[in-house]
């Protein structure tokens, strides 16, 4: 998607603010899916060949959105010194099998040396609160309805402890959960997990 990536960068550079950047991401997703659909209907590619292309489009959008959200979030709340944040894809996106209209199974993971570290912005949060609100902001923008529609429906139930768990989980807690408490179906889901945005290391 090299040429498409350059096209997206050009679209985003024309936006005057964060809201317009978000709208450009929505437009990019719809245009890419439209052209992939045309290629399938014309027989240029097989339906299964469309799945990794659609997955790459979603991954590209997530990478851009993380940068957008972190920049906006840091203006109000600062940053966590030494903190790192990543988005894990599970399910179809994790396996590069995203279909037309697929929702995205996502898990948000953060890493910080000291959980008591606070952000350095005008309004300060401890690391757990900071990264959970960052994840909430991500989901809010992914599912927001605008003039061009929305980006994606998001499913976060594959995070540790499912609906009862925190939206963003610390890396060490993520590791311990899968070593000590995970169910069999969660191990199966983990087989498809891969980092798609943020800091993959």
């Amino acid at each position: 998607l090299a040429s498409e990536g350059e096209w997206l960068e050009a679209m985003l550079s024309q936006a005057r603010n964060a809201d317009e950047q978000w709208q450009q991401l929505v437009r990019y997703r719809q245009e890419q899916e439209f052209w992939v659909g045309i290629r399938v209907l014309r027989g240029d590619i097989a339906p299964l060949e469309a799945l990794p292309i659609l997955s790459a489009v979603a991954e590209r959008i997530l990478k851009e959105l993380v940068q957008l959200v972190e920049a906006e979030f840091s203006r109000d709340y600062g940053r966590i010194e030494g903190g790192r944040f990543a988005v894990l894809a599970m399910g179809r996106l994790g396996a590069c099998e995203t279909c037309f209209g697929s929702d995205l199974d996502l898990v948000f993971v953060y890493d910080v040396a000291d959980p008591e570290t606070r952000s350095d912005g005008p309004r300060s949060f401890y690391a757990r609160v900071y990264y959970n609100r960052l994840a909430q902001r991500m989901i809010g923008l992914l599912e927001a309805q605008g003039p061009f529609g929305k980006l994606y429906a998001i499913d976060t139930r594959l995070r540790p402890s499912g609906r009862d768990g925190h939206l963003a989980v610390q890396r060490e807690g993520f590791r311990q959960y899968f070593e000590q408490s995970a169910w069999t179906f969660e191990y199966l889901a983990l087989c498809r997990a891969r980092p798609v945005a943020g800091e993959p290391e």
Side-chain angles (χ1 to χ4, degrees):
L1 287 177
S3 60
E4 287 85 352
E6 293 172 1
W7 177 30
L8 177 57
E9 291 295 336
M11 292 170 64
L12 293 174
S13 67
Q14 297 172 10
R16 293 170 295 181
N17 51 49
D19 183 63
E20 288 189 3
Q21 287 182 312
W22 171 80
Q23 292 185 41
Q24 294 286 32
L25 289 175
V26 177
R27 178 184 164 197
Y28 172 77
R29 184 236 170 149
Q30 293 184 339
E31 290 180 352
Q32 290 299 301
E33 289 195 352
F34 174 80
W35 287 113
V36 172
I38 290 295
R39 292 177 66 191
V40 171
L41 291 174
R42 289 173 54 184
D44 296 337
I45 60 174
L48 289 179
E49 292 179 300
L51 306 186
I53 299 174
L54 296 174
S55 298
V57 169
E59 187 171 343
R60 178 76 190 184
I61 288 172
L62 287 169
K63 289 181 187 299
E64 294 291 343
L65 194 64
V66 165
Q67 294 181 27
L68 173 62
V69 170
E70 286 188 324
E72 285 290 295
F73 202 74
S74 65
R75 292 192 185 102
D76 294 328
Y77 308 108
R79 295 184 181 274
I80 300 286
E81 183 178 359
R84 298 184 297 170
F85 178 78
V87 182
L88 299 184
M90 313 284 273
R92 286 187 173 275
L93 179 57
C96 296
E97 296 175 351
T98 304
C99 300
F100 294 99
S102 286
D103 60 4
L104 303 184
D105 294 291
L106 302 179
V107 174
F108 302 95
V109 181
Y110 67 93
D111 187 32
V112 61
D114 181 3
E116 298 301 310
T117 303
R118 296 183 68 100
S119 60
D120 57 9
R123 298 175 61 188
S124 180
F125 292 130
Y126 287 111
R128 179 176 60 82
V129 177
Y130 181 92
Y131 286 111
N132 271 274
R133 295 204 177 188
L134 184 66
Q136 288 174 347
R137 183 78 61 89
M138 280 278 301
I139 293 173
L141 287 178
L142 284 163
E143 296 191 323
Q145 193 74 32
F148 299 113
K150 68 178 181 180
L151 284 169
Y152 294 96
I154 304 302
D155 190 337
T156 61
R157 290 175 295 177
L158 290 175
R159 67 186 187 270
S161 300
R163 294 183 186 276
D164 296 327
H166 292 298
L167 196 56
V169 59
Q170 190 173 4
R171 186 182 67 165
E172 181 62 19
F174 184 86
R175 183 186 65 80
Q176 289 182 2
Y177 180 81
F178 278 96
E179 285 185 353
Q180 303 171 8
S181 307
W183 295 80
T184 301
F185 79 90
E186 291 177 309
Y187 287 115
L188 295 174
L190 187 65
C191 291
R192 290 184 161 196
R194 63 187 179 93
V196 292
E199 299 189 47
E201 64 276 8

